[in-house]
């Protein structure tokens, strides 16, 4: 298969990947190539964590951090872990590399929060709204608007997207200048401010112990090294081929994540465009904002 200037190996295009909705591996590759211009700004220069579903969503899957033998249009990045182990991640910087990893069975696009060469310093802060039980989606939408309020008071640009599963992500692009522990510390204080403003543990909580949670978890813990999320426009391995969809803020109060799928996203982009367009030009320094949340400034 030719993608741009490159020949990309492509096998078993007719293999059924989403039996419930009749989508094949070929359909998945076609989707990603069609949305590549929107997805690649979120992927470029980030270590890419492979989760491979060689037999589709109803088959077994496995994690693979180390990039296998690959063509020269797929980048690579050596990473050392605190344990002493190391690996070489793939970098997906172009449409051909994107098609290559999808051909390996990577339904999802899992990336770090940081980019080469500053892989120890994330370039966005993430608040992940994660329901503790069924029936809490209305709370998720309510809390998202409070997260936006807090972020805007801090003059952080806030970008919501469905997780593609049960929750909602709000990303704030930041300058890559602070290590992960400082960004996590800031995100924790921001989440606690959201919890305080909601004022109801049945609605929003930052309680870390799962058994003690009742409301939606305002999760700040994803702001950690080697954590990954399914990035914007990533398909999720669920039966209806749901997509992690960027949202306009005016959509959040009534949004239903089930409407964003491989089958519907092309029409959505044609209708509303890319809500994350220009996002990475709006990075803001967190350094001067720590005192605003009652925190000591980073050293």
């Amino acid at each position: 298969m030719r993608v741009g200037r490159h020949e990309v190996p492509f096998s078993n295009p007719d293999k059924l990947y989403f039996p419930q909705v009749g989508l094949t591996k070929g359909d998945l590759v076609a989707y990603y190539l069609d949305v590549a211009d929107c997805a690649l700004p979120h992927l470029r220069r980030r270590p890419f964590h492979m989760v491979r579903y060689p037999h589709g969503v109803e088959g077994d899957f496995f994690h693979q951090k180390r990039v296998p033998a690959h063509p020269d249009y797929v980048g690579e990045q050596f990473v050392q872990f605190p344990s002493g182990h190391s690996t070489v991640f793939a970098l997906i910087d172009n449409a051909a590399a994107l098609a290559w990893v999808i051909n390996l069975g990577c339904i999802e696009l899992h990336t770090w929060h940081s980019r080469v060469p500053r892989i120890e310093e994330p370039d966005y802060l993430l608040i992940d709204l994660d329901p503790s039980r069924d029936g809490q989606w209305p709370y998720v939408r309510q809390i998202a608007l409070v997260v936006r309020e807090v972020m805007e008071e801090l003059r952080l640009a806030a970008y919501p997207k469905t997780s593609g599963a049960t929750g909602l992500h709000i990303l704030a692009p930041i300058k890559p200048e602070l290590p992960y522990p400082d960004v996590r510390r800031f995100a924790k204080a921001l989440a606690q401010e959201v919890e305080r403003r909601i004022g109801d543990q049945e609605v929003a909580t930052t309680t870390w112990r799962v058994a003690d949670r009742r409301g939606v978890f305002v999760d700040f813990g994803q702001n950690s090294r080697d954590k990954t999320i399914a990035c914007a426009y990533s398909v999720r391995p669920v039966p209806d081929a749901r997509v992690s969809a960027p949202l306009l803020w005016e959509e959040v109060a009534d949004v239903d994540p089930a409407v964003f799928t491989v089958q519907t996203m092309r029409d959505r982009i044609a209708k509303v465009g890319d809500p994350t367009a220009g996002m990475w030009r709006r990075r803001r320094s967190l350094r001067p904002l720590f005192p605003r949340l009652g925190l000591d400034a980073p050293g």
Side-chain angles (χ1 to χ4, degrees):
M1 176 176 64
R2 189 160 188 83
V3 180
R5 298 179 293 104
H6 304 290
E7 289 293 334
V8 180
F10 186 34
S11 59
N12 303 314
D14 297 326
K15 180 177 282 189
L16 200 57
Y17 262 30
F18 296 88
Q20 178 175 299
V21 290
L23 292 176
T24 66
K25 182 180 180 181
D27 294 326
L28 186 67
V29 171
Y31 163 78
Y32 275 122
L33 290 177
D34 285 346
V35 304
D37 287 346
C38 297
L40 283 169
H42 303 280
L43 287 167
R44 287 191 180 102
R45 312 307 293 163
R46 298 191 189 278
F48 184 92
H49 179 114
M50 296 185 186
V51 186
R52 296 175 62 178
Y53 292 78
H55 304 293
V57 297
E58 294 185 357
D60 293 335
F61 66 92
F62 62 95
H63 293 260
Q64 183 175 357
K65 292 184 178 182
R66 182 172 294 275
V67 60
H70 54 281
D72 58 8
Y73 53 77
V74 177
E76 58 180 47
Q77 175 62 35
F78 174 83
V79 173
Q80 185 86 37
F81 296 101
S83 65
H85 296 292
S86 63
T87 195
V88 177
F89 284 93
L91 298 176
I92 308 304
D93 291 347
N94 54 73
L98 179 56
W100 182 81
V101 293
I102 305 309
N103 184 58
L104 293 181
C106 296
I107 291 173
E108 303 176 277
L109 308 178
H110 279 283
T111 56
W112 279 36
H113 305 331
S114 52
R115 303 183 197 249
V116 175
R118 306 180 74 106
I119 64 168
E120 303 301 333
E121 297 158 342
D123 71 344
Y124 65 86
L125 176 149
L126 171 68
I127 297 296
D128 179 5
L129 302 181
D130 184 14
S132 301
R133 55 179 63 90
D134 292 339
Q136 293 185 324
W137 183 250
Y139 293 161
V140 169
R141 296 182 300 201
Q142 173 188 349
I143 299 163
L145 298 176
V146 179
V147 174
R148 181 195 190 190
E149 176 184 280
V150 175
M151 285 186 173
E152 288 191 338
E153 288 175 9
L154 294 166
R155 296 181 62 198
L156 292 171
Y159 289 86
K161 71 180 183 73
T162 63
S163 71
T166 61
L168 194 76
H169 296 154
I170 298 117
L171 283 69
I174 60 174
K175 291 183 178 180
E177 59 185 6
L178 296 176
Y180 277 98
D182 281 331
V183 175
R184 185 183 187 277
R185 182 165 63 97
F186 187 92
K188 180 178 180 180
L190 193 156
Q192 289 172 331
E193 175 60 16
V194 170
E195 177 187 43
R196 185 191 68 77
R197 294 189 187 192
I198 296 288
D200 185 346
Q201 287 291 304
E202 300 292 335
V203 176
T205 184
T206 59
T207 300
W208 193 254
R209 189 168 180 266
V210 175
D212 294 336
R213 293 179 199 156
R214 302 191 303 276
V216 173
F217 183 40
V218 186
D219 186 1
F220 53 86
Q222 295 294 326
N223 298 279
S224 301
R225 190 183 192 269
D226 197 29
K227 292 279 190 180
T228 64
I229 62 165
C231 76
Y233 300 100
S234 174
V235 181
R236 302 307 302 272
V238 292
D240 61 356
R242 201 169 294 190
V243 170
S244 179
L247 303 172
L248 302 170
W249 273 110
E250 54 264 36
E251 298 175 301
V252 169
D254 300 306
V255 68
D256 176 3
V259 304
F260 306 113
T261 68
V262 167
Q263 299 100 313
T264 65
M265 282 301 290
R266 295 174 181 86
D267 287 343
R268 171 175 170 77
I269 293 168
K271 181 180 179 180
V272 306
D274 174 16
T276 64
M279 171 178 172
W280 303 109
R281 294 194 296 272
R282 300 187 66 191
R283 297 183 181 98
R284 174 167 166 78
S285 175
L286 285 187
R287 284 187 181 276
L289 303 181
F290 277 70
R292 297 273 302 274
L293 291 176
L295 300 172
D296 292 335

